[in-house]
Amino acid sequence: SAASMTSAQAATDCAEFISNMTTVTNKAVETVKEAIANLVILQKKTQESGEKLQELVESVNKISEFIGDIAPVNSNDQAVEFINSIKSQHRKAKHNVYAYILRQDNISRYSDDGEPQGTAGVPVLDVLKKRGLTDVCAVVTRYFGGILLGGGGLVRAYSHAASLACDAAKIMNMCLCHRLRIVTDYGMYGKIAYILPNHETITVSSDFSDNVTIELLVLSDKLGALTDELTEITNGSANITDLGELFEDFSSVKKFS
């Protein structure tokens, strides 16, 4: 009887064990199925992300690049030389649009360089005019990416590139002025040095030997007032020589407007 009970108990335990194993196996199968499903979903999302990334890369590659360059020029020949130098740097570019303004003979010229008329050269020229710049040449290079911007888009792009070039440049305030040489003794030097800032002068050179020799630039419209005051404070003892009229940069002493 005891043996029969032991066998029955063993059979019950065995059946319970098999049932538990079946449950564990079923859970394991479900877990594996879930993992496989998640892997498929992840793979699909990764593929979609890759496709979106590729679309983004292709989109970026289709965007044109605009590069602005600007330089001071004093003549038509200098402007052409600068334009050609930029073209040689960007031989693979689709367009090299330019505009320049010269003080001499009040010359202003521009080129759309193959862009639709009025969408490139004129906007660049307008930027130079609105900023009051003269004796300057700007070139905006375009590497075409494939997307057509339309007339309005081109105007904005070329204007923006020209404006960035102007912002990055050092703006010179070129003014009509005279170069003076002043020779005086040491006793008068202090008085002369004291009044010079009042006349917005730029000292070019100073030589201290037997006498003091100063060469400076003074705006043409301030020349008379300066020479009169120099004569007065030195009692006419200072030797003042006008070396001629010229254009020079006064941005260090006179704000550009």
Side-chain angles (χ1 to χ4, degrees):
S1 176
S4 297
M5 290 182 63
T6 301
S7 297
Q9 182 65 43
T12 300
D13 291 343
C14 182
E16 184 178 352
F17 175 76
I18 292 172
S19 176
N20 290 338
M21 286 298 294
T22 302
T23 301
V24 170
T25 302
N26 290 337
K27 287 184 177 180
V29 170
E30 292 299 322
T31 300
V32 171
K33 287 182 178 179
E34 185 179 353
I36 292 174
N38 289 335
L39 182 61
V40 171
I41 293 173
L42 179 61
Q43 184 178 12
K44 185 178 181 181
K45 287 184 177 180
T46 302
Q47 183 178 357
E48 291 175 352
S49 297
E51 291 173 353
K52 288 182 179 179
L53 178 60
Q54 182 63 29
E55 290 175 2
L56 178 60
V57 170
E58 291 176 356
S59 177
V60 169
N61 288 339
K62 290 180 180 179
I63 297 175
S64 294
E65 180 182 8
F66 293 83
I67 305 169
D69 290 279
I70 192 167
V73 294
N74 294 318
S75 66
N76 186 72
D77 289 342
Q78 285 186 10
V80 172
E81 182 179 357
F82 175 65
I83 294 165
N84 289 336
S85 71
I86 298 301
K87 287 183 177 181
S88 66
Q89 293 176 33
H90 301 285
R91 296 184 185 277
K92 295 183 180 181
K94 184 72 173 178
H95 307 280
N96 284 285
V97 170
Y98 68 80
Y100 62 89
I101 301 174
L102 301 176
R103 187 189 310 272
Q104 186 178 1
D105 298 327
N106 195 27
I107 294 174
S108 62
R109 290 180 179 151
Y110 65 89
S111 169
D112 293 315
D113 194 31
E115 294 283 27
Q117 185 176 0
T119 64
V122 171
V124 174
L125 182 63
D126 284 344
V127 170
L128 301 182
K129 287 183 175 180
K130 288 177 181 178
R131 298 203 178 207
L133 302 178
T134 55
D135 288 338
V136 65
C137 179
V139 181
V140 177
T141 301
R142 181 188 185 188
Y143 283 90
F144 183 63
I147 294 179
L148 298 176
L149 300 181
L154 287 173
V155 170
R156 289 189 294 272
Y158 279 106
S159 297
H160 184 60
S163 295
L164 290 178
C166 292
D167 291 341
K170 176 184 179 294
I171 304 300
M172 296 185 292
N173 191 356
M174 303 299 292
C175 298
L176 193 61
C177 63
H178 284 254
R179 182 163 179 153
L180 298 184
R181 178 184 295 128
I182 304 168
V183 180
T184 186
D185 57 47
Y186 281 84
M188 294 295 174
Y189 172 71
K191 293 182 179 182
I192 294 174
Y194 180 77
I195 70 163
L196 292 182
N198 299 333
H199 297 272
E200 296 180 331
T201 62
I202 297 176
T203 300
V204 177
S205 65
S206 299
D207 178 65
F208 300 90
S209 52
D210 294 339
N211 291 308
V212 179
T213 301
I214 306 168
E215 288 199 7
L216 55 82
L217 301 173
V218 58
L219 295 168
S220 294
D221 58 2
K222 293 181 179 292
L223 175 64
L226 175 61
T227 55
D228 287 346
E229 189 168 3
L230 286 172
T231 301
E232 180 180 351
I233 65 172
T234 64
N235 295 320
S237 64
N239 186 349
I240 305 170
T241 305
D242 189 341
L243 301 177
E245 193 173 39
L246 67 163
F247 278 101
E248 286 292 343
D249 178 22
F250 268 73
S251 56
S252 60
V253 294
K254 186 178 178 66
K255 290 184 178 180
F256 184 77
S257 59

